[in-house]
Amino acid sequence: MSRFSSSIQLCTGKAELYSFGFMRGYGCRTMGKHRFDPVHAGKLDDPRRLTSEPPGRILDALGVTSARVVAEIGVGSGYYTSHLSKIIVSQGVIVACDVSEKMLEILNRKNLYQTLPVLMEELHLPLKDRSADLVLAANVLHEFDDPLTMLVEVFRVLQPGKTVGIVDWKKTAMDFGPPLR
């Protein structure tokens, strides 16, 4: 069993919570401050993730095809962004946010279509209120000092009635993923 808990919790702007079938029962729990080291960015694009963390299935569940402005938090090397850019095509934009300039440099080298890399602060998204119709936080919520404050920020930038996708790790010992502490 994968340690990855695609606990995609599909939330609307009204904060209703839904569980996506194969991900039922897992919530995001903070593991304490942990920052992914950009030195290991290659691990983020490991093809084995396609099996344990299928971006197509996750993005389909989020209804990405109708999104015009996607805010992706903690974009890293662009694992989800690369898949999003194939779906968004000319009808929208991906605002790819990360706190690491190095990760944004890695993302920039991929020259992804309709992608705007943006440096963000720890608990502030550089977007206007109600500007995004989809916010995706994949494998990043556990890295924030205060995940609840980050979620408040997510709902600030989300248009009413639109979607939030949270994908994060189970807090169990495994060979990969963030440390438990």
Coordinates of all heavy atoms in Angstrom, one line a residue, residues 17-76:
L17 N -17.2 19.0 2.0 CA -16.1 18.1 1.9 C -16.6 16.8 1.3 O -17.6 16.3 1.6 CB -15.5 17.8 3.3 CG -14.3 17.0 3.4 CD1 -13.1 17.7 2.7 CD2 -13.9 16.7 4.8
Y18 N -15.9 16.3 0.3 CA -16.2 15.1 -0.4 C -15.0 14.2 -0.4 O -13.9 14.7 -0.5 CB -16.6 15.4 -1.9 CG -17.8 16.3 -2.0 CD1 -17.6 17.7 -2.1 CD2 -19.1 15.8 -1.9 CE1 -18.6 18.5 -2.2 CE2 -20.2 16.7 -2.0 CZ -19.9 18.1 -2.1 OH -21.0 18.9 -2.2
S19 N -15.1 12.9 -0.4 CA -14.0 12.0 -0.5 C -14.0 11.4 -1.9 O -15.1 10.9 -2.3 CB -14.0 11.0 0.6 OG -13.7 11.5 1.8
F20 N -12.9 11.3 -2.5 CA -12.8 10.6 -3.8 C -12.6 9.1 -3.5 O -11.7 8.8 -2.8 CB -11.7 11.2 -4.6 CG -11.5 10.7 -5.9 CD1 -12.5 10.9 -6.9 CD2 -10.4 10.1 -6.3 CE1 -12.4 10.5 -8.2 CE2 -10.2 9.6 -7.6 CZ -11.2 9.8 -8.5
G21 N -13.4 8.3 -4.1 CA -13.4 6.8 -3.9 C -12.2 6.2 -3.3 O -12.2 5.7 -2.1
F22 N -11.1 6.0 -4.1 CA -10.0 5.3 -3.6 C -9.2 6.0 -2.5 O -8.2 5.5 -2.0 CB -9.1 4.9 -4.8 CG -8.3 6.0 -5.4 CD1 -7.0 6.2 -5.0 CD2 -8.9 6.8 -6.3 CE1 -6.3 7.2 -5.6 CE2 -8.1 7.8 -6.9 CZ -6.8 8.0 -6.5
M23 N -9.6 7.1 -2.1 CA -8.8 7.9 -1.2 C -9.6 8.1 0.2 O -9.1 8.9 1.0 CB -8.5 9.3 -1.8 CG -7.8 9.1 -3.1 SD -7.8 10.7 -3.8 CE -7.3 10.3 -5.5
R24 N -10.6 7.4 0.4 CA -11.5 7.7 1.5 C -10.8 7.5 2.9 O -10.0 6.6 3.0 CB -12.6 6.7 1.5 CG -13.7 6.9 2.5 CD -14.9 6.1 2.1 NE -14.8 5.9 0.8 CZ -15.7 5.6 -0.2 NH1 -16.8 5.4 0.1 NH2 -15.5 5.5 -1.4
G25 N -11.1 8.4 3.8 CA -10.7 8.2 5.2 C -9.4 8.8 5.5 O -8.9 8.6 6.7
Y26 N -8.7 9.4 4.7 CA -7.4 9.9 5.0 C -7.5 11.5 5.0 O -7.9 12.1 4.1 CB -6.3 9.5 4.0 CG -6.1 8.0 4.0 CD1 -6.5 7.3 2.9 CD2 -5.6 7.3 5.1 CE1 -6.4 6.0 2.8 CE2 -5.5 6.0 5.0 CZ -5.9 5.3 3.9 OH -5.7 3.9 3.9
G27 N -7.0 12.0 6.1 CA -7.0 13.5 6.2 C -5.6 14.0 6.2 O -4.6 13.2 6.3
C28 N -5.4 15.2 6.0 CA -4.1 15.8 6.0 C -3.7 16.2 7.4 O -4.5 16.9 8.1 CB -4.0 17.1 5.1 SG -2.4 17.8 5.2
R29 N -2.6 15.6 7.9 CA -2.2 15.9 9.3 C -0.8 16.6 9.2 O 0.0 16.0 8.4 CB -2.1 14.7 10.1 CG -3.4 14.1 10.5 CD -3.3 12.9 11.4 NE -3.6 11.8 10.5 CZ -3.2 10.6 10.8 NH1 -2.6 10.3 11.9 NH2 -3.5 9.6 10.0
T30 N -0.6 17.6 9.9 CA 0.7 18.3 9.8 C 1.8 17.3 10.4 O 1.6 16.7 11.4 CB 0.7 19.6 10.5 OG1 2.0 20.2 10.3 CG2 0.4 19.6 12.0
M31 N 3.0 17.3 9.8 CA 4.1 16.5 10.3 C 5.2 17.4 10.8 O 6.3 17.0 11.0 CB 4.6 15.7 9.1 CG 3.7 14.7 8.6 SD 4.4 13.8 7.2 CE 2.9 13.1 6.5
G32 N 4.9 18.7 11.1 CA 5.9 19.6 11.5 C 6.6 20.2 10.3 O 6.4 19.7 9.2
K33 N 7.3 21.2 10.6 CA 7.9 21.9 9.4 C 8.9 21.0 8.8 O 9.9 20.5 9.4 CB 8.6 23.2 9.9 CG 9.1 24.0 8.8 CD 9.6 25.4 9.2 CE 10.0 26.2 8.0 NZ 10.4 27.5 8.4
H34 N 8.8 20.8 7.5 CA 9.7 20.1 6.6 C 9.7 20.7 5.3 O 8.6 20.9 4.7 CB 9.2 18.6 6.5 CG 9.9 17.9 5.4 ND1 11.2 17.5 5.5 CD2 9.5 17.6 4.1 CE1 11.6 16.9 4.3 NE2 10.6 17.0 3.5
R35 N 10.8 21.1 4.8 CA 10.9 21.7 3.5 C 11.6 20.7 2.6 O 12.7 20.2 2.9 CB 11.7 23.0 3.5 CG 11.1 24.1 4.1 CD 10.2 24.8 3.1 NE 9.7 26.0 3.6 CZ 8.4 26.2 4.1 NH1 7.6 25.1 4.1 NH2 8.0 27.3 4.6
F36 N 11.1 20.5 1.4 CA 11.7 19.6 0.4 C 13.0 20.3 -0.1 O 12.9 21.4 -0.5 CB 10.7 19.3 -0.7 CG 11.2 18.3 -1.7 CD1 11.1 16.9 -1.4 CD2 11.9 18.7 -2.8 CE1 11.6 16.0 -2.3 CE2 12.4 17.7 -3.7 CZ 12.3 16.4 -3.4
D37 N 14.0 19.6 -0.1 CA 15.3 20.1 -0.6 C 15.4 20.0 -2.1 O 15.3 18.9 -2.7 CB 16.5 19.3 0.0 CG 17.8 19.9 -0.3 OD1 18.0 20.7 -1.2 OD2 18.8 19.5 0.4
P38 N 15.5 21.2 -2.8 CA 15.6 21.2 -4.3 C 16.7 20.3 -4.9 O 16.6 19.9 -6.0 CB 15.8 22.6 -4.6 CG 15.3 23.4 -3.4 CD 15.6 22.5 -2.2
V39 N 17.7 19.9 -4.1 CA 18.7 19.0 -4.5 C 18.1 17.7 -5.0 O 18.7 17.0 -5.9 CB 19.8 18.8 -3.4 CG1 20.8 17.7 -3.7 CG2 20.5 20.1 -3.1
H40 N 17.0 17.3 -4.4 CA 16.4 16.0 -4.7 C 15.2 16.2 -5.6 O 14.3 15.3 -5.7 CB 15.9 15.4 -3.4 CG 17.0 15.2 -2.3 ND1 18.0 14.3 -2.5 CD2 17.2 15.8 -1.2 CE1 18.8 14.4 -1.5 NE2 18.3 15.3 -0.6
A41 N 15.2 17.3 -6.4 CA 14.0 17.6 -7.3 C 13.7 16.4 -8.3 O 12.6 16.2 -8.7 CB 14.2 18.9 -8.0
G42 N 14.8 15.7 -8.7 CA 14.6 14.6 -9.6 C 13.6 13.5 -9.1 O 12.9 12.9 -9.9
K43 N 13.5 13.4 -7.8 CA 12.6 12.4 -7.2 C 11.2 12.8 -7.5 O 10.3 11.9 -7.5 CB 12.8 12.3 -5.7 CG 14.1 11.7 -5.3 CD 14.2 11.6 -3.7 CE 15.5 11.0 -3.3 NZ 15.6 10.9 -1.8
L44 N 10.9 14.1 -7.6 CA 9.5 14.5 -7.8 C 9.0 14.1 -9.2 O 7.8 14.0 -9.4 CB 9.5 16.0 -7.7 CG 9.8 16.6 -6.3 CD1 9.8 18.1 -6.3 CD2 8.9 16.0 -5.2
D45 N 9.9 13.9 -10.1 CA 9.5 13.5 -11.5 C 9.7 12.0 -11.7 O 9.7 11.6 -12.9 CB 10.2 14.3 -12.5 CG 9.8 15.8 -12.4 OD1 8.6 16.1 -12.2 OD2 10.7 16.7 -12.6
D46 N 9.9 11.2 -10.7 CA 10.1 9.8 -10.8 C 8.9 9.2 -11.5 O 7.8 9.3 -11.0 CB 10.3 9.2 -9.4 CG 10.7 7.7 -9.5 OD1 10.3 7.0 -10.4 OD2 11.5 7.3 -8.6
P47 N 9.1 8.4 -12.6 CA 7.9 7.8 -13.3 C 7.1 6.9 -12.4 O 5.9 6.6 -12.7 CB 8.6 7.0 -14.4 CG 10.0 7.5 -14.6 CD 10.3 8.2 -13.2
R48 N 7.7 6.3 -11.3 CA 6.9 5.4 -10.5 C 5.8 6.2 -9.8 O 4.8 5.5 -9.3 CB 7.9 4.8 -9.4 CG 8.8 3.8 -10.0 CD 9.8 3.3 -9.0 NE 10.7 4.3 -8.6 CZ 11.7 4.2 -7.8 NH1 11.9 3.0 -7.2 NH2 12.5 5.2 -7.5
R49 N 5.9 7.5 -9.7 CA 4.8 8.3 -9.1 C 3.5 8.1 -9.9 O 2.4 8.3 -9.4 CB 5.1 9.7 -9.0 CG 6.0 10.1 -7.9 CD 6.3 11.5 -7.8 NE 5.1 12.3 -7.2 CZ 5.1 13.6 -7.1 NH1 6.1 14.3 -7.5 NH2 4.1 14.2 -6.5
L50 N 3.6 7.8 -11.2 CA 2.4 7.7 -12.1 C 1.5 6.6 -11.6 O 0.3 6.6 -11.8 CB 2.8 7.5 -13.5 CG 3.6 8.7 -14.2 CD1 4.1 8.3 -15.5 CD2 2.7 9.9 -14.3
T51 N 2.1 5.6 -11.0 CA 1.3 4.5 -10.4 C 0.8 4.8 -9.1 O -0.4 4.6 -8.8 CB 2.2 3.2 -10.4 OG1 2.7 2.9 -11.7 CG2 1.4 2.0 -9.9
S52 N 1.6 5.3 -8.2 CA 1.2 5.5 -6.8 C 0.4 6.8 -6.6 O -0.4 7.0 -5.7 CB 2.4 5.5 -5.9 OG 3.3 6.6 -6.2
E53 N 0.6 7.7 -7.6 CA 0.0 9.0 -7.5 C -0.4 9.5 -8.9 O 0.2 10.3 -9.5 CB 1.0 10.0 -6.9 CG 0.5 11.4 -6.6 CD 1.5 12.2 -5.9 OE1 2.6 11.7 -5.4 OE2 1.3 13.4 -5.9
P54 N -1.5 8.9 -9.4 CA -1.9 9.1 -10.8 C -2.5 10.5 -11.1 O -3.6 10.8 -10.7 CB -2.9 8.0 -11.1 CG -3.5 7.7 -9.8 CD -2.4 7.9 -8.8
P55 N -1.7 11.4 -11.6 CA -2.2 12.8 -11.8 C -3.4 12.9 -12.7 O -4.3 13.7 -12.4 CB -1.0 13.5 -12.4 CG -0.1 12.5 -12.9 CD -0.3 11.3 -12.2
G56 N -3.5 12.1 -13.7 CA -4.6 12.1 -14.6 C -5.9 11.8 -13.8 O -6.9 12.6 -14.0
R57 N -5.9 10.8 -13.0 CA -7.1 10.4 -12.3 C -7.5 11.5 -11.2 O -8.6 11.8 -11.1 CB -6.8 9.1 -11.6 CG -8.0 8.5 -10.9 CD -7.7 7.1 -10.5 NE -8.9 6.5 -9.8 CZ -8.9 5.4 -9.2 NH1 -7.8 4.7 -9.1 NH2 -10.0 5.0 -8.6
I58 N -6.5 12.1 -10.6 CA -6.7 13.1 -9.6 C -7.2 14.4 -10.2 O -8.2 14.9 -9.8 CB -5.4 13.3 -8.8 CG1 -5.1 12.1 -8.0 CG2 -5.5 14.6 -8.0 CD1 -3.7 12.1 -7.4
L59 N -6.6 14.8 -11.3 CA -7.1 16.0 -12.0 C -8.5 15.8 -12.6 O -9.3 16.8 -12.6 CB -6.0 16.4 -13.0 CG -4.7 16.8 -12.4 CD1 -3.7 17.1 -13.5 CD2 -4.8 18.0 -11.5
D60 N -8.8 14.6 -13.1 CA -10.1 14.4 -13.7 C -11.1 14.5 -12.6 O -12.2 15.1 -12.8 CB -10.2 12.9 -14.2 CG -9.5 12.8 -15.6 OD1 -9.2 13.8 -16.2 OD2 -9.4 11.6 -16.0
A61 N -10.8 14.0 -11.4 CA -11.7 14.1 -10.2 C -12.0 15.6 -9.8 O -13.1 15.9 -9.3 CB -11.2 13.3 -9.0
L62 N -11.0 16.4 -10.1 CA -11.2 17.8 -9.7 C -11.9 18.6 -10.8 O -12.2 19.8 -10.6 CB -9.8 18.4 -9.5 CG -9.1 17.9 -8.2 CD1 -7.6 18.4 -8.2 CD2 -9.8 18.3 -7.0
G63 N -12.1 18.0 -11.9 CA -12.8 18.7 -13.0 C -12.0 19.9 -13.6 O -12.5 20.9 -13.9
V64 N -10.7 19.6 -13.8 CA -9.8 20.6 -14.3 C -10.2 21.1 -15.7 O -9.9 22.3 -16.0 CB -8.4 20.0 -14.3 CG1 -7.4 21.0 -15.0 CG2 -7.9 19.7 -12.9
T65 N -10.9 20.4 -16.5 CA -11.2 20.8 -17.9 C -11.9 22.1 -17.9 O -11.8 22.9 -18.9 CB -12.0 19.7 -18.6 OG1 -13.2 19.4 -17.9 CG2 -11.2 18.5 -18.8
S66 N -12.7 22.4 -16.9 CA -13.5 23.7 -16.9 C -12.8 24.8 -16.1 O -13.3 25.9 -16.1 CB -14.8 23.4 -16.3 OG -14.7 23.0 -14.9
A67 N -11.6 24.6 -15.6 CA -10.9 25.6 -14.9 C -10.2 26.6 -15.8 O -9.6 26.3 -16.8 CB -9.8 25.0 -14.0
R68 N -10.4 27.9 -15.4 CA -9.8 29.0 -16.2 C -8.5 29.5 -15.5 O -7.5 29.8 -16.2 CB -10.7 30.1 -16.4 CG -12.1 29.8 -17.0 CD -12.1 29.3 -18.4 NE -12.3 30.4 -19.3 CZ -11.9 30.4 -20.5 NH1 -11.3 29.4 -21.0 NH2 -12.1 31.4 -21.3
V69 N -8.5 29.6 -14.2 CA -7.4 30.0 -13.4 C -7.1 28.9 -12.3 O -8.0 28.8 -11.4 CB -7.6 31.4 -12.7 CG1 -6.4 31.7 -11.9 CG2 -7.8 32.5 -13.8
V70 N -6.0 28.2 -12.5 CA -5.6 27.2 -11.5 C -4.5 27.7 -10.7 O -3.5 28.2 -11.3 CB -5.2 25.9 -12.2 CG1 -4.7 24.9 -11.2 CG2 -6.3 25.3 -13.1
A71 N -4.6 27.8 -9.4 CA -3.6 28.1 -8.5 C -3.0 26.8 -7.9 O -3.7 26.1 -7.2 CB -4.1 29.1 -7.4
E72 N -1.7 26.6 -8.2 CA -1.1 25.4 -7.7 C -0.1 25.8 -6.6 O 0.8 26.6 -6.9 CB -0.4 24.5 -8.8 CG 0.1 23.2 -8.2 CD 0.9 22.4 -9.2 OE1 0.9 22.8 -10.4 OE2 1.4 21.4 -8.8
I73 N -0.3 25.3 -5.4 CA 0.5 25.7 -4.3 C 1.6 24.6 -4.1 O 1.3 23.5 -4.0 CB -0.3 25.8 -3.0 CG1 -1.5 26.8 -3.2 CG2 0.5 26.2 -1.8 CD1 -2.5 26.7 -2.1
G74 N 2.8 25.1 -3.9 CA 4.0 24.2 -3.7 C 4.2 23.4 -4.9 O 4.3 22.2 -4.9
V75 N 4.4 24.1 -6.0 CA 4.4 23.4 -7.4 C 5.7 22.5 -7.5 O 5.7 21.6 -8.3 CB 4.4 24.5 -8.5 CG1 5.6 25.4 -8.4 CG2 4.1 24.0 -9.8
G76 N 6.7 22.8 -6.8 CA 7.9 22.0 -6.8 C 8.5 22.0 -8.3 O 8.6 23.0 -8.9

